[in-house]
Amino acid sequence: MRMDQPSKIYLAVPDPDLNRTVRTSLGDAGHRLQEAMDWTLVPEEVGLYGAEVVILSNELPDTSTMDVLVQLRKDDRTRDRAVLVLLPDVNDTDRIEALLEGGAD
């Protein structure tokens, strides 16, 4: 996957300001976006949409980011998709290690 070419990106970022910033930046770069509507359905929606990249917030309502990662990595449709997690603190090495072990890229 090359990010310099338009990609299908699934965005699961519940914070409205952060969502708008990410959505605008990616949309302006020509990427096609699908946004989460029901946080518990993120893994299923990613598979149905066929996203090449998944962007998750560190905290999701009604589910955990780690649960979503595990489900994405178990599903044949989404196993090999790039999954990025937005963290509020880049110095939280324990959280970063846990997410990487859970399947985040």
Side-chain angles (χ1 to χ4, degrees):
M1 173 200 54
R2 295 177 46 162
M3 288 303 288
D4 60 340
Q5 297 178 352
S7 298
K8 289 176 82 173
I9 299 175
Y10 185 90
L11 187 60
V13 179
D15 177 275
D17 293 331
L18 182 57
N19 182 298
R20 185 174 29 264
T21 299
V22 173
R23 185 181 67 234
T24 300
S25 296
L26 294 172
D28 288 351
H31 299 289
R32 292 174 286 155
L33 303 173
Q34 174 69 35
E35 294 182 60
M37 295 296 166
D38 181 335
W39 309 108
T40 61
L41 297 177
V42 168
E44 182 63 23
E45 289 178 348
V46 169
L48 291 172
Y49 179 61
E52 298 160 308
V53 178
V54 180
I55 299 176
L56 301 174
S57 178
N58 181 51
E59 294 185 19
L60 299 171
D62 304 321
T63 190
S64 78
T65 302
M66 194 60 74
D67 287 345
V68 170
L69 277 171
V70 168
Q71 291 176 47
L72 288 170
R73 294 308 182 214
K74 282 182 168 179
D75 189 329
D76 289 338
R77 298 173 301 170
T78 58
R79 176 174 292 132
D80 298 326
R81 304 297 183 222
V83 180
L84 309 175
V85 179
L86 303 177
L87 294 169
D89 182 2
V90 296
N91 296 315
D92 187 351
T93 56
D94 291 339
R95 181 69 176 153
I96 292 169
E97 286 178 27
L99 289 165
L100 290 171
E101 288 175 13
D105 295 293

